[in-house]
Amino acid sequence: MPRRKKNSAGILQYCPQYLLLAREIDYPPVRLVLDTAVMVAAIRSDTGASRRLLLAALRQRVTLLVSVPLLIEYQAVMTRTEHLTASGLSAEEVGTSLDAVAFVAERVRLTFLWRPSLRDADDDMVLEAAVNGQADAIVTFNHRDFAPATKQFGIEVLSPGVALRHLERAS
């Protein structure tokens, strides 16, 4: 994930008035697409990096990108009995959480479909949201399957822990 520096070295270090101005610039949040497994991990663990990334997205510290097919996938998987049992949530509570995600996320219109690019069609949904939404990174536990396809689009593939560390360093 590219780090957005608030102050650059070089000329600005010799011009204090420009340093003050640089601090006032509002840098856009990093643009992320969360894989479905990351969303599931976010509801299953209160303390994991996936939960913290989801909370950062809900607080709009990152720009979360979603498409309609991806939101439908989130709901279908997150409301499976095993995930509801492990999370202690009801299907209605998951639905409310996804309503919040839909409210704060930037909706991506899929103008170009890139299928098939990956072995799993559900992963293609994530890739299409990332490419069409000009994401900085896809956050996934499945680095191996995503990495070859994302290189051609200049999109990084990060684990939740690495994405969270990047976010914390940028703050």
Side-chain angles (χ1 to χ4, degrees), residues 121-132:
D122 293 335
D123 290 342
D124 279 329
M125 266 191 286
V126 174
L127 178 65
E128 288 170 350
V131 172
N132 284 284

Side-chain angles (χ1 to χ4, degrees), residues 8-21:
S8 60
I11 289 186
L12 289 183
Q13 69 183 342
Y14 301 107
C15 304
Q17 68 272 24
Y18 293 117
L19 286 175
L20 293 173
L21 178 62

